[in-house]
């Protein structure tokens, strides 16, 4: 298995532009999580899905952030409009039945908003 | 509030030496505690997972301990190697049925030759 696949690996965009981050979870995993990591705050959960349905989006910072999971093999995190304070590394993770064993992170997308 | 505190924030050790990283948590109810290793530019990778009844678990040169009474965990690295240079993140799962995770900010370890 190729693991959790995220794209792009790096994204540099100008303030005000729309940014879309993509994630392909491990096949067979029914939970998908989006995290944001910064030096100041560490890893923070933004939103998670179970069987493609958003379960908890309380970590989404504001309405500029949205996430979708149209099918079991694909999810997107969109920021519109982007702001410099959104600069961070965004991770996607997936797991089976939300169990700790096999809970796998992707390699992340480093987002820089200038 | 469910919190996870790690210490030291960073440390530098000589190759071949041992080191111990600390994790204190206030998470309740407790489900499990995980240690992850995060190499620069990569995602976290699981090292150990411990439930309430487990007080030690090893993964190669990594040994984690758990004291659920004092809500403390440690990660011991034996005979450190250059490849051990990474951030080590303590993660505690909240046993409230949602299995939400509380993350520490990590211990940054640098191994020098």
């Amino acid at each position: 298995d190729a693991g959790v696949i995220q794209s792009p690996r790096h994204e540099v965009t100008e303030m005000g532009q729309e940014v879309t981050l993509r994630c392909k979870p491990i096949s067979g995993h029914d939970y998908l999580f989006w995290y944001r990591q910064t030096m100041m705050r560490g890893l923070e959960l933004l939103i998670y899905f179970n069987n493609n349905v958003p379960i908890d989006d309380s970590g989404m910072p504001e309405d500029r952030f949205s996430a979708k999971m149209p099918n079991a093999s694909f999810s997107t995190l969109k920021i519109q409009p982007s702001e410099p304070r959104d600069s961070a590394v965004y991770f996607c993770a997936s797991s089976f039945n939300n169990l700790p064993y096999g809970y796998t992170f992707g390699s992340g997308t480093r987002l820089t908003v200038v | 509030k469910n919190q996870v505190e790690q210490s030291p924030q960073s440390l530098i050790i000589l190759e071949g030496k041992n080191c111990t990283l600390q994790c204190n948590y206030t998470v309740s109810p407790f489900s499990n505690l995980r240690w992850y290793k995060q190499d620069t530019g990569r995602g976290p990778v699981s090292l150990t997972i411990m439930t309430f009844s487990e007080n030690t678990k090893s993964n190669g040169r990594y040994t984690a301990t758990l004291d659920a009474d004092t809500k403390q965990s440690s990660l011991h690295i034996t005979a450190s190697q250059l490849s051990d240079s990474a951030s080590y993140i303590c993660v505690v799962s909240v046993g409230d049925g949602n299995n939400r995770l509380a993350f520490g900010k990590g211990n940054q370890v640098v191994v020098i030759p």
Side-chain angles (χ1 to χ4, degrees), chain A residues 10-106:
Chain A
H10 302 273
E11 177 79 44
V12 181
T13 190
E14 291 186 342
M15 183 175 63
Q17 296 299 305
E18 177 180 294
V19 175
T20 299
L21 311 182
R22 297 172 176 80
C23 175
K24 176 180 168 58
I26 290 176
S27 177
H29 280 189
D30 55 348
Y31 279 79
L32 183 140
F33 307 83
W34 281 101
Y35 291 92
R36 178 172 64 179
Q37 186 178 42
T38 61
M39 289 290 292
M40 289 296 295
R41 302 172 69 90
L43 275 161
E44 301 174 286
L45 176 67
L46 299 176
I47 185 172
Y48 77 91
F49 296 83
N50 176 216
N51 291 323
N52 315 336
V53 176
I55 302 300
D56 184 352
D57 65 354
S58 59
M60 297 286 261
E62 47 197 272
D63 293 344
R64 297 184 298 106
F65 286 69
S66 63
K68 294 182 179 179
M69 191 165 185
N71 56 63
S73 60
F74 184 66
S75 177
T76 59
L77 178 68
K78 185 177 296 185
I79 308 173
Q80 165 64 15
S82 58
E83 296 182 3
R85 61 194 169 113
D86 301 331
S87 297
V89 182
Y90 291 81
F91 287 101
C92 176
S94 72
S95 73
F96 174 69
N97 207 20
N98 206 7
L99 295 172
Y101 300 94
Y103 196 112
T104 304
F105 285 84

Side-chain angles (χ1 to χ4, degrees), chain A residues 9 35 37 39-45 48 56 58 91 98-101 103 105-108, chain B residues 32 34 36 38 41-46 49-51 54 57 89 98-101 103-105:
Chain A
R9 286 299 310 275
Y35 291 92
Q37 186 178 42
M39 289 290 292
M40 289 296 295
R41 302 172 69 90
L43 275 161
E44 301 174 286
L45 176 67
Y48 77 91
D56 184 352
S58 59
F91 287 101
N98 206 7
L99 295 172
Y101 300 94
Y103 196 112
F105 285 84
S107 294
Chain B
N32 60 75
R34 320 172 193 185
Y36 284 86
Q38 184 176 18
R42 311 294 296 179
V45 174
S46 179
I49 302 168
M50 288 182 291
T51 58
E54 298 173 297
K57 185 164 283 190
I89 304 173
N98 295 319
N99 277 335
R100 290 180 64 88
L101 301 181
F103 290 84
K105 292 184 179 179

Side-chain angles (χ1 to χ4, degrees), chain B residues 6-102:
Chain B
Q6 294 187 241
S7 62
Q9 184 176 5
S10 63
L11 75 161
I12 300 172
I13 58 174
L14 289 174
E15 186 179 13
K17 298 296 186 182
N18 304 335
C19 72
T20 299
L21 313 176
Q22 299 292 339
C23 172
N24 296 335
Y25 61 92
T26 60
V27 172
S28 182
F30 172 89
S31 177
N32 60 75
L33 185 145
R34 320 172 193 185
W35 281 95
Y36 284 86
K37 178 187 180 189
Q38 184 176 18
D39 293 315
T40 300
R42 311 294 296 179
V45 174
S46 179
L47 290 176
T48 62
I49 302 168
M50 288 182 291
T51 58
F52 185 89
S53 59
E54 298 173 297
N55 55 23
T56 185
K57 185 164 283 190
S58 292
N59 179 355
R61 295 178 297 100
Y62 301 101
T63 299
T65 66
L66 172 66
D67 186 332
D69 291 331
T70 61
K71 298 188 175 182
Q72 295 179 324
S73 175
S74 66
L75 182 68
H76 187 76
I77 305 176
T78 303
S80 61
Q81 299 177 358
L82 298 179
S83 59
D84 293 330
S85 296
S87 177
Y88 293 85
I89 304 173
C90 177
V91 183
V92 183
S93 177
V94 184
D96 60 357
N98 295 319
N99 277 335
R100 290 180 64 88
L101 301 181

